[in-house]
Amino acid sequence: MALPLLPGNRFSRNVGKEKFHKSQHWGFCNNVRMLVSEDKPGIGGELLFGQKIKPKYNVFPEEMGNDLPSWVAFDKQVLSFDAYLEDEVPDKRQENYRIRRYKIYFYLEDDTIQVNEPALKNSGLPRGTSIRRHRISLPPPDKDQFYTVYHFNVGIDVVFYGRTFKIYDCDTFTKNFLKKIGVKVNPPRQCPEDPYLKLRRETLDCVEPLRPYESFDTRKQFLNYDRKVLRFFCLWDDSGSMFGDRRELTLLYFLSDDTIEIRETLPHNSGRDPVTVFLQRRKLPKYGPPGVYQPGQLADQTVLNMYGGYSVNRVYRYLLDKYKPEKLEQEFYKDSDLSIGTTINVWGRKVLLCDCDKFTKTYYKTKYGIENFTSISCKAPSPPKIERKFPPYTGFGSEEDSLRSCIGLMPTPHQRDLKKFMEKDSYGDISNRLRFFAKLITKKRAEMDRLFIISYFFSDDTISVFEPIERNSGFTGGMFLKRSRVKKPGQEVFKSELSEYIKAEELYIGAKVNVNGYLFLLLNADEYTLKYMEKNSDKFPFSNIELALQKVKEEESKSRELKQVFAAADCMHTKMVDYNIFRDIMMTLTVGRLTDQELITIARHYQVPEDPCPDILMAEVHEQLKKNGFENFERLIATCVYQDREKKKVLPSKDIRRLCKSARLPLDDDLLASLLSRFEDSEKQINYESFFCALNWRVNPMPELEAVSPNKERCEEEWLGMPSPIPAKCINYLKLLKDVFGLEEE
């Protein structure tokens, strides 16, 4: 345990107590805290009590200031000495000792030493760092001191842990540094040769072959391009030969050794043996197949035997023939010979390179600067389609049924499009049918006023025509045309092709439709039809508001005149006009360029919203209460006030229902449940005052429901209510002028 730092302690060096509280007074060496000597600065590099730092070595002032520590002045400066060590080998006959060479590094910044042994080929000894970097103490009897730079010189011996290292040379920086600090550097010595290495070198010289050796080193190419393969998609067209066809191949070019492998891409059910390797990996000659040669007839090099004379110790020598007469000059395919569109010779087979992968394109773009990689189709051209001619329609049955008898030997019935029927069939409020109000175009005066309802069904593209019943008209009315597909007029009856039928895109307001010889003019449509056509404006261009406004915008020269005409028609300055006036003005402006469908689309877009329709549920409730003469609403409210103990003016929905049942409110269960669900809040509570005040038919009367006409009931299956003669009641013309011509209100 260390003694406390008190005045008078033998470590205090007779200094005051206040000096021991300075951080610079202690230093660390090998993780042990110890007092700082007088010739060393404290932590942080600050001087202690006026002391001065003496330079460690006598170097020039410009290289090291008198006030800089050694670890700053000599940072990254190392002295290098070449030394050797005589290592005894007692148990070996070939050698008695071994010479091992070392590198001794002396670090000037902290006087540390490191000893490394350079690697020697096939030495069998561990090499590398022999002594790690640290301060080394002197041999006995000076074990308390460490090696400094003054202990090193050329031609002397140093002892590190009992091993004597003989320094025989040093580098130029070490010589210059030792001269600067005043050390006389001895001349370099000669390092003795290792006897075993000398014996081994002589042995290797004796076993060296007499024949000349020519190296073929391909390791660089292998190391640079190992596992890098170019891939081409090829075609071998063998359809010209008997039983030949087009074969799709994949060519792999290995960059490591310039070899080529070809694999065949076998389609399903090709009938060929499942052997995918078309050509094994090898170098591919350009002009193959070559001729047939005897074994040993071809060689890469020719060796000439040199005569050594008749002496007893004659020596046989050999020499390579530089002309190489036995070597066959044969060219092989390289990467520069391969490109898309090139035909290569694969042992007599012409293979066309059609395409390559991404890596191959990058390789050729980087190495050869090729930018064009237009691929060639490997697929065979499709055979010409033979037009199949069918006999003309005979007139018996439908055209589809007659065509089925010509397609197969056993006629099968025509299959309807079940998927289209399931998707486009009517369900719920979606009818998936277009209904138009039309009149018959005829010269007969008695039939000019006949009105019809034309329905188009999306599920099977059929059309039905219905005539509403009108009393004292002279016509029976009812179904005019049963639901069926209607052919377009002007087609030949007996022909091989199928007939064309009327499509939904040909139906719009203002169009003339020929239905089996009867010409109809479409006057109006119901609300569902107009909404459907506006929603699918890509199929019904006359319901596209943008196209319709574009036609109006083309008359921009008449914008001021148009505004004056609308202002004159709007006598009350209500900023809106009636539909009939709006139609006459717009038709006069565009001179018939707008169709009736486009005009209706514009009118519906800029129509003024009407008053909301009366509440049908409350009207039906009031009608039931009025028929039964129920008026005890004040009594019901008083009962609810009595039950409302907390005076919140709300009661649970189940309590209101029970109260209505006990008071015998003349409403059925479904109607009462719908009424309660309308008034209850998120917590299923009802404000009883507002609820019973709404039921009071005397205080808050509702308009009566209109009775359904008997004529409408008779044609309910074909038409749910007759269409209104006008699609919109009032149109805001100022908004139209602002959107189309940019005219503001004056």
Side-chain angles (χ1 to χ4, degrees), residues 649-665:
K649 295 185 179 181
V650 291
L651 288 176
S653 176
K654 59 181 181 179
D655 294 345
I656 300 294
R657 180 184 182 88
R658 185 174 62 254
L659 180 60
C660 293
K661 288 294 185 180
S662 63
R664 296 185 179 181
L665 193 69

Side-chain angles (χ1 to χ4, degrees), residues 461-480:
D461 300 328
T462 55
I463 294 177
S464 68
V465 181
F466 180 82
E467 184 178 7
I469 299 174
E470 186 177 356
R471 294 182 180 182
N472 301 326
S473 63
F475 298 98
T476 307
M479 187 63 67
F480 185 82

Side-chain angles (χ1 to χ4, degrees), residues 38-41 47 51-58 64-70 74:
E38 295 181 357
D39 57 346
K40 292 185 179 180
L47 301 180
Q51 63 179 357
K52 294 184 179 180
I53 299 179
K54 298 180 180 179
K56 200 168 188 181
Y57 310 114
N58 188 14
M64 175 179 176
N66 293 334
D67 296 335
L68 291 178
S70 61
F74 299 105

Side-chain angles (χ1 to χ4, degrees), residues 582-596:
F582 176 79
R583 182 182 186 280
D584 295 339
I585 294 174
M586 295 300 294
M587 284 298 185
T588 306
L589 172 69
T590 57
V591 196
R593 294 183 61 186
L594 283 177
T595 62
D596 292 339

Side-chain angles (χ1 to χ4, degrees), residues 57-59 74 79 149-150 176-183:
Y57 310 114
N58 188 14
V59 295
F74 299 105
L79 304 183
V149 70
Y150 296 102
N176 296 335
F177 185 84
L178 292 176
K179 290 179 180 179
K180 287 181 181 180
I181 64 176
V183 177

Side-chain angles (χ1 to χ4, degrees), residues 429-467:
D429 296 336
I430 302 176
S431 61
N432 278 323
R433 71 179 72 175
L434 304 180
R435 286 171 289 194
F436 296 91
F437 194 53
K439 73 174 183 178
L440 186 64
I441 301 177
T442 180
K443 295 182 179 179
K444 298 180 181 180
R445 184 176 297 274
E447 297 182 355
M448 288 184 179
D449 296 333
R450 297 180 65 181
L451 300 178
F452 298 87
I453 298 171
I454 299 178
S455 301
Y456 184 92
F457 300 86
F458 285 105
S459 59
D460 52 1
D461 300 328
T462 55
I463 294 177
S464 68
V465 181
F466 180 82
E467 184 178 7

Side-chain angles (χ1 to χ4, degrees), residues 213-318:
Y213 178 73
E214 183 178 0
S215 63
F216 299 95
D217 191 3
T218 59
R219 288 177 295 177
K220 181 178 179 181
Q221 180 181 359
F222 174 79
L223 295 176
N224 292 338
Y225 296 104
D226 185 28
R227 303 179 66 85
K228 294 183 180 180
V229 183
L230 305 180
R231 182 171 62 169
F232 290 89
F233 304 102
C234 318
L235 175 66
W236 174 37
D237 190 359
D238 192 33
S239 57
S241 61
M242 184 179 295
F243 308 112
D245 55 355
R246 298 166 65 93
R247 311 277 286 274
E248 296 183 11
L249 309 173
T250 302
L251 185 144
L252 304 177
Y253 184 89
F254 296 86
L255 295 173
S256 60
D257 54 359
D258 299 327
T259 55
I260 291 177
E261 179 181 350
I262 300 178
R263 295 177 175 270
E264 183 176 3
T265 304
L266 295 176
H268 295 289
N269 301 326
S270 62
R272 298 187 178 274
D273 296 335
V275 180
T276 57
V277 179
F278 186 79
L279 176 68
Q280 292 183 352
R281 180 177 175 180
R282 63 182 64 183
K283 286 191 175 183
L284 181 62
K286 290 185 178 180
Y287 308 104
V292 180
Y293 301 94
Q294 297 296 328
Q297 189 175 356
L298 298 178
D300 293 337
Q301 57 188 8
T302 303
V303 181
L304 302 179
N305 188 4
M306 305 299 295
Y307 179 66
Y310 290 100
S311 60
V312 179
N313 297 327
R314 56 188 177 187
V315 180
Y316 294 94
R317 298 291 181 181
Y318 301 93

